[in-house]
């Protein structure tokens, strides 16, 4: 049975409908608390692929709501360093399947992600400096 791992924040329920639908289709679902992982820039980067940096952030994170961090002014490395230090900044759920990583997938993106097909690029001229190989 193929396994999909969800990394979520404590008390987060936003991905439950996806998790149940995937379980109903025969996928093994593993849910991990994002706080219990040690996140480095290198581990986080593949989850965001070609999404614009501003979309990497949880817009409801306390440091964003307070104005301490403005995602529109962050570059990729700065964003990854900030997220490594404060998991609340990370847009979740982070999803891992068959060595591929993604975050906050839309209804339209799920089938392509599961089929191991490319998800349409948000920035067509950007190529990720990281490449995840199947495990």
């Amino acid at each position: 049975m193929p396994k999909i791992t969800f990394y979520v924040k404590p008390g987060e329920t936003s991905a439950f409908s996806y998790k149940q639908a995937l379980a109903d289709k025969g996928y093994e679902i593993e849910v991990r608390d994002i706080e219990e992982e040690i996140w480095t820039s290198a581990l986080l980067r593949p989850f965001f692929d070609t999404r614009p940096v501003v979309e990497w952030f949880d817009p409801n994170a306390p440091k964003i709501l307070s104005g301490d961090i403005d995602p529109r002014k962050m570059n990729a490395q700065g964003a990854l360093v900030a997220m490594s230090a404060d998991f609340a900044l990370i847009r979740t759920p982070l999803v891992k399947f068959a060595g591929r990583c993604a975050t906050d997938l839309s209804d339209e993106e799920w089938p392509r992600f599961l089929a191991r097909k490319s998800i349409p690029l948000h920035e067509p001229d950007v190529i990720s400096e990281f490449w995840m190989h199947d495990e």
Side-chain angles (χ1 to χ4, degrees):
M1 175 175 355
K3 180 168 83 172
I4 300 174
T5 303
F6 285 81
Y7 297 91
V8 298
K9 295 175 186 166
E12 182 175 52
T13 60
S14 63
F16 286 154
S17 61
Y18 290 116
K19 289 185 272 189
Q20 187 58 53
L22 292 165
D24 291 346
K25 291 184 184 268
Y27 290 93
E28 177 185 347
I29 305 300
E30 178 181 15
V31 179
R32 293 187 181 180
D33 184 335
I34 200 167
E35 287 184 21
E36 295 178 10
E37 303 294 323
I38 298 173
W39 294 104
T40 63
S41 295
L43 290 175
L44 279 171
R45 182 62 186 95
F47 287 95
F48 305 114
D49 194 31
T50 59
R51 291 181 186 268
V53 172
V54 71
E55 292 182 15
W56 301 2
F57 287 89
D58 180 343
N60 297 311
K63 288 182 180 175
I64 293 174
L65 292 174
S66 70
D68 290 340
I69 292 181
D70 183 349
R72 297 169 299 172
K73 296 180 180 176
M74 298 288 281
N75 63 29
Q77 190 56 40
L80 293 168
V81 169
M83 290 176 183
S84 296
D86 184 357
F87 76 92
L89 295 170
I90 302 169
R91 183 180 296 251
T92 55
L94 298 180
V95 183
K96 189 169 188 178
F97 172 66
R100 298 188 66 221
C101 300
T103 188
D104 197 33
L105 292 169
S106 69
D107 291 342
E108 295 79 28
E109 291 170 323
W110 269 107
R112 294 186 68 80
F113 179 73
L114 294 173
R116 298 183 185 183
K117 295 180 181 175
S118 296
I119 295 172
L121 300 175
H122 294 268
E123 295 181 46
D125 296 330
V126 176
I127 297 175
S128 174
E129 66 270 26
F130 294 89
W131 179 256
M132 290 296 294
H133 296 281
D134 287 342
E135 295 175 334

